Amino acid sequence: MEQLSTQTQIDLLAAMLAIRAFENRISSVYPQQEMKTPVHLYTGQEACAAGVCANLEREDMIFSTHRNHGHYIAKGADLNAIAAELYGRTGGCTKGKGGSMHFVDTASGCMGTTAIVGGSIPLGAGAALALKMRKSSNISVSFFGDGAADEGVLQETLNFAALKKLPVLFVCENNFYATNSCVRARHAHGSIAARAQAFGIPAETADGNDAETVYRAARKAAAHIRAGNGPYFLELLTYRWKGHVGPDCDYEKGCRPKAELDEWMKRCPIELYAARLAARGVISQAGLDEMKKAAEARVDRAWSYALASPAPGPEDLLTDVYRAAGESA
Amino acid sequence: MPWTKVLIDDEDLKTALRKDGLRVTTYVNALNEAHRQLLDADPAVYVIGEGVDDPGGVFGSTRGLLAAYGPDRIMDIPIAENGLTGIALGSALCGMKPIFVHMRQDFLPMCMDQIVNHAAKWHYMTGGKCSAPLVIRALAGRGWGSAAQHSQTLHGIFTAFAGLKVAVPATPYDAKGLLIAAVRDGNPVLFCEHRWLYGFEGYAPDGMYEVPFGKAVVRKPGTQVTIVAVSLMVYEAMKAARELERLGVSAEVVDPRTIKPLDRAAIAESVRKTGRLLVADTGGVHSGISAEITAGACEDAFSFMKAPPARIGLPDCPTPAGAELEKAFYPGAADIVACALRLVR
């Protein structure tokens, strides 16, 4: 198998480190209760976002869910603005209107996220419809979880995307839990990818904890879509380390077995990949430490920006409900 | 001439319009023309919905569009209301201006999630970064035993959701001007049409024009009772007002034209003048838009009221199929007359 370029390998690792540093910072400060927004952390799933987004151009569009931080960081969203949003500040990406579940950064193609499970699936396909109608060469990505596979809207969207050959990549991150319900309690059939195949959409199930595996699968998918062949579906098998919501893990509440979590933590996507790059001689231990420090420093700067940003006042409550006449889209 | 835009279906009006060389057209033709002009003017506009490309063209409103604009812009869809609303919305967030058409308002509950949770809130949730210029046309059916799932008028419910605008045009002039305004508005708009209005004639200019949202119009001035009428009930109210004139009662008919935003100021101004309010809606009375209009008028002009406000609308039961039951279900001009007489006497 062809080796990825050194730069790509470093970029994949850097993206995962940035996500981990961001999520870890949230976990450490969340107990202060100054961040008054429900956070759905991406810790443990970093390889999915990093591997997919490394194949996207800035003008490609992504739509995501309540568990969106990783996708946005990997796509290149303004870290300062999303950190400020966690604190509901005016410098936040939605000026304190959306919080953690509704990050947006149109400049980097991050078109919005929804807290309704499955809701972003048709939105991503709709963006693809717009791209197709405008004869753009860009593509669109719908990120969602295995819980969203239970929504009828997935079937509706897959059918239409296949029918119209829309340039959309469906990325289902199967972390095996929908809130606290295990996939085994919800699905009679093990493969979510098979649902897309039923509509004639090429689909693949891949190891979502291996950044290079995700990268290669997404590269193939993106090439298929960019060549005008219509949609593609990736089911990425991964695992969330934290509970459905909040900075803590949930095994002590009996939501899932600790042994299961331990097994997945042994397969930490960052450690796996760092070890592989070290074995290949792409990075040294010192180089890795340097990259971790750089990720921490970016997060430090984002938090400084966020905490210095003023809170909105009551006068801001009723702004942005409607687009005003003449206001640009 | 302002009266041409204010007065509605009535033999005298049509005669007067023709005498002045002004164009008389039907509600459905005005809608069809609005689509064509919007499609011509802006390549971002497209029409999507079940059967928009059928020979019948959604009772004529989209007839001929497929031949003129092709299947990429006049797009039939699978029966997947919520998913397709999300797809239309996704395209709107990325610069397109879809007009999504439902032949029955009864299909709106199928896509409540995308309308209510997504379209209505996207602009606010993104701090104004993303607009959602999605127009949803939905027709109210009625008659011929359409029954409980093919005749609902749900416009009132949708006014509860901040971020969504709701239009209820009654005349050809408003149907065309409000649809053009809706597509250009930049916000999600629910555009509620009543099937019975489709054949009604009135004045509508040839060119493109906008009817502003949130501006009510006085269809007929009067001094003793204000009748605020919505959609088809505007015609019933006009019939009632003419009958009331014969009985010596002067009624003022106010058509809000859009119910979100709602022109409370115009309604209050009329109530201050007449001292009496009657609201006639095509929707249900219980928790319907008539409740909101009445409450608003009480808040704004209670001290001017000489009688308790009254409401006319659908009774609190699903639509029955049988002709005799249908007759009992739908109120009309006679009910408005009787109610207005109770208020003034």
Side-chain angles (χ1 to χ4, degrees), chain A residues 61 63 92-95 97-98 102 104 106 111-114 116 119-120 122-123 125-127 129-130 133-134 153 156-157 159-160 163-164 316-317 319-323 327-329, chain B residues 44 46 72 75-78 80-84 86-87 89-91 93-96 113-114 117-118 122-131 162-165 184-187 260:
Chain A
M61 294 172 178
F63 284 84
C93 59
T94 72
K95 301 182 275 185
K97 300 273 174 53
H102 303 298
V104 69
T106 55
M111 299 304 293
T113 70
T114 172
I116 303 295
S120 57
L123 297 180
L129 177 63
M133 291 177 100
R134 302 186 139 180
V153 76
E156 297 184 1
T157 305
N159 178 48
F160 190 75
L163 181 73
K164 299 287 180 186
D316 299 310
L317 178 67
T319 59
D320 299 322
V321 179
Y322 296 94
R323 195 188 87 162
E327 187 188 325
S328 63
Chain B
Y46 71 101
D72 290 343
M75 203 182 294
D76 187 26
I77 57 165
E81 291 85 354
N82 194 42
L84 266 298
I87 287 169
L89 172 61
S91 78
L93 299 174
C94 299
M96 300 303 289
D113 169 48
Q114 285 293 335
N117 289 325
H118 294 86
W122 211 263
H123 191 261
Y124 191 79
M125 290 195 313
T126 59
K129 301 274 174 67
C130 293
S131 301
L164 188 66
K165 296 186 177 183
R184 290 172 171 176
D185 188 81
N187 291 288
K260 187 78 173 282

Side-chain angles (χ1 to χ4, degrees), chain A residues 31-251:
Chain A
Q32 297 165 5
Q33 299 195 10
E34 284 170 17
M35 196 178 276
K36 296 182 174 67
T37 182
V39 287
H40 304 78
L41 299 180
Y42 197 71
T43 317
Q45 303 184 200
E46 294 88 349
C48 300
V52 171
C53 291
N55 287 284
L56 301 180
E57 295 163 12
R58 196 161 175 82
E59 294 74 24
D60 291 332
M61 294 172 178
I62 66 168
F63 284 84
S64 179
T65 69
H66 54 286
R67 201 175 307 285
N68 59 55
H69 303 174
H71 306 132
Y72 271 42
I73 294 168
K75 187 69 170 62
D78 179 353
L79 219 56
N80 293 359
I82 61 174
E85 189 55 39
L86 294 169
Y87 287 93
R89 305 296 173 93
T90 55
C93 59
T94 72
K95 301 182 275 185
K97 300 273 174 53
S100 163
M101 296 192 285
H102 303 298
F103 282 174
V104 69
D105 187 315
T106 55
S108 61
C110 299
M111 299 304 293
T113 70
T114 172
I116 303 295
V117 170
S120 57
I121 297 171
L123 297 180
L129 177 63
L131 291 168
K132 183 165 181 165
M133 291 177 100
R134 302 186 139 180
K135 304 198 182 340
S136 161
S137 59
N138 285 109
I139 69 171
S140 158
V141 182
S142 284
F143 285 105
F144 55 97
D146 51 292
D150 302 345
E151 294 278 5
V153 76
L154 173 64
Q155 275 56 243
E156 297 184 1
T157 305
L158 290 176
N159 178 48
F160 190 75
L163 181 73
K164 299 287 180 186
K165 285 193 182 304
L166 299 183
V168 55
L169 172 58
F170 298 102
V171 179
C172 176
E173 291 175 27
N174 184 352
N175 66 16
F176 302 101
Y177 285 91
T179 314
N180 294 321
S181 299
C182 185
V183 73
R184 288 185 301 275
R186 295 181 285 115
H187 294 175
H189 188 279
S191 171
I192 295 172
R195 303 183 193 187
Q197 283 162 344
F199 290 97
I201 297 173
E204 188 178 333
T205 302
D207 180 355
N209 273 31
D210 183 330
E212 272 189 17
T213 299
V214 175
Y215 178 85
R216 289 179 198 280
R219 185 170 63 174
K220 187 173 150 198
H224 171 94
I225 298 165
R226 287 189 209 280
N229 298 315
Y232 203 99
F233 191 102
L234 289 179
E235 179 187 7
L236 304 176
L237 304 179
T238 185
Y239 199 79
R240 65 165 209 250
W241 288 10
K242 305 287 185 178
H244 160 64
V245 60
D248 305 318
C249 191
D250 52 6
Y251 66 84

Side-chain angles (χ1 to χ4, degrees), chain B residues 11-191:
Chain B
E11 278 313 311
D12 297 340
L13 168 70
K14 273 182 270 179
T15 310
L17 286 171
R18 290 201 171 99
K19 208 178 86 196
D20 290 346
L22 291 169
R23 192 175 70 136
V24 175
T25 192
T26 60
Y27 189 96
V28 67
N29 285 342
L31 277 174
N32 190 284
E33 192 173 81
H35 282 88
R36 288 171 188 275
Q37 291 175 351
L38 286 160
L39 286 157
D40 284 338
D42 188 346
V45 175
Y46 71 101
V47 181
I48 182 168
E50 288 152 29
V52 294
D53 62 346
D54 279 355
V58 191
F59 308 113
S61 64
T62 63
R63 188 174 291 150
L65 299 185
L66 176 69
Y69 301 96
D72 290 343
R73 295 185 76 194
I74 311 300
M75 203 182 294
D76 187 26
I77 57 165
I79 301 169
E81 291 85 354
N82 194 42
L84 266 298
T85 303
I87 287 169
L89 172 61
S91 78
L93 299 174
C94 299
M96 300 303 289
K97 292 178 186 164
I99 302 174
F100 197 118
V101 188
H102 293 282
M103 278 191 251
R104 303 282 177 193
Q105 282 183 26
D106 310 73
F107 309 150
L108 292 176
M110 304 293 294
C111 36
M112 283 293 263
D113 169 48
Q114 285 293 335
I115 297 174
V116 170
N117 289 325
H118 294 86
K121 294 166 177 64
W122 211 263
H123 191 261
Y124 191 79
M125 290 195 313
T126 59
K129 301 274 174 67
C130 293
S131 301
L134 167 64
V135 174
I136 299 171
R137 286 181 51 210
L139 283 67
R142 172 175 164 178
W144 209 249
S146 291
Q149 294 175 336
H150 258 45
S151 65
Q152 291 178 87
T153 42
L154 301 172
H155 51 272
I157 292 168
F158 286 91
T159 61
F161 306 109
L164 188 66
K165 296 186 177 183
V166 183
V168 284
T171 66
Y173 182 88
D174 287 354
K176 182 174 172 183
L178 279 172
L179 187 64
I180 290 168
V183 170
R184 290 172 171 176
D185 188 81
N187 291 288
V189 176
L190 181 63
F191 194 87

